[in-house]
Amino acid sequence: MKFNISNCELVSFFLTLVLCFFISTSSNEFLDCLSQTISSDDIVFTPNDTSYSPLLQSTIQNLRFNTTTTPKPLAIITPLSYSHVQSTVICGVKSRLNIRTRSGGHDYEGLSYTSFDQDPFIVLDLNQLRSVSIDSQAKTAWVESGATLGELSYYVSQKSNLLGFPTGECTSVGVGGQLTGGGYGTMARKYGLSADNVIDALVGGGASFGVVLSWKINLVYVPPVVTVFSLSKTLDEDATRLVYKWQQIAHNITEDLFINLLITPVNSTMQVTINSLFLGKADELMKIVSDGFPELGLLDKYCIEMSWIESVVYFSLYLRGQSVDALKERRPWPKDYYKFKSDYVKKPIPEEALAEIWKWCLEANLILGMEPHGGKMGEIDETATPYPHREGNLYIIQYIMRWDDEGFNATEKRVAAIRRVYEKMTPYVSKNPREAYVNFRDLDLGTSCNACSTSYEQSLIWGRKYFKGNFKRLAMVKGVVDPTNFFWSYLIRIS
């Protein structure tokens, strides 16, 4: 019998054998190493364990990365103590296995639980490290990276109805992910990002770097009564004019008032939903809006007074109407397929351009979220933290493409549609660089890998978009604290 095998096929076959051998050897080496320091089988899960698949899928939010072809970890580790994290890092270094650290699983591109360069990896799932310890007199707290934003907010509120923390609006996001990327939310104009309120951190690991285990944060004052409202307008109800005016006032109105927009295709038109949190009572809010934004037509009946912690539930959207106890139950955000992108806007987009943008969104079935900057966001110097998008930004746009039909073709169609709208938006957003928010991860902007050699100049393509001038400093720190590039994950791979 004669086989016709090309040289390329032969090379591919042998490379596959080598890769499989390497993965098997690395996996065994890692597990053997781990067994010397961790005696419990309850925290180590491999594909042979029945609990492996449910655990892996438990916090996967984006179904694009939950397919049979999605690269899976060789093992999932769910540490119960800080020493377990240290052992995982040390054994990962020894066995040459990358670590993906997962807290809430909300990474838009699935980078906390999958791989895009086929390198073998393990997932360090911090789900069990989620304690929150509060010192209400000092107005500080220690919170572990595996806690959700909902849990953090809940336990802070139980200590005092006058203390809160500026978290994001999605309560199932993990604290570790929120704080490492900045963390925008409803009180950002008053108190800055979540990361702006970090005062210390505890890092565990081995070799030259590690994993942030716990964060010390400043708690902020919240009044006993806050006011929220939500109202919607369609294009026929002069929604375009409202958006145009919102661009001019949302960033420079009182810091106690946060007004964001959710712009959604509904029944062949665009619907603009205005959501607001005011750190005060309804009568104060009515006066401020009547003076500064009369076009909104806000009425008393739309305003709802509540406690700050109730407003956290209100803004979580999928928990709206539930009791505050839902925040400590770690209820996940409903899963679907999605692709997100982001932009920053420095000058108001003209009304006629907004009208054109609505047409693009209708055609693509694309949702836009707009969140104002200004206030504290503009007072902090852009070099003070890695997050550089400060003074001069009116608001951030989040492009939201969601779908529920499975398959490669559906994904390709939807992703292509959001990319077209993003490209058309070029004249109306920030330039040189066109800025993006790292917590709205977007691999279209570029990526790095562990196996390839990416130069600093190549990394600047995406590094400047996320971090502007801070990227050089981050790269220099990376070179010092992690010279072997073990914690490469997504961001900096410099050769």
Side-chain angles (χ1 to χ4, degrees), residues 48-60:
N48 295 326
D49 298 315
T50 56
S51 300
Y52 171 89
S53 184
L55 176 61
L56 177 62
Q57 297 176 25
S58 62
T59 58
I60 291 180

Side-chain angles (χ1 to χ4, degrees), residues 107-122:
D107 188 299
Y108 283 169
E109 299 282 16
L111 293 167
S112 63
Y113 49 83
T114 190
S115 171
F116 289 90
D117 63 358
Q118 305 303 316
D119 275 359
F121 68 100
I122 56 176

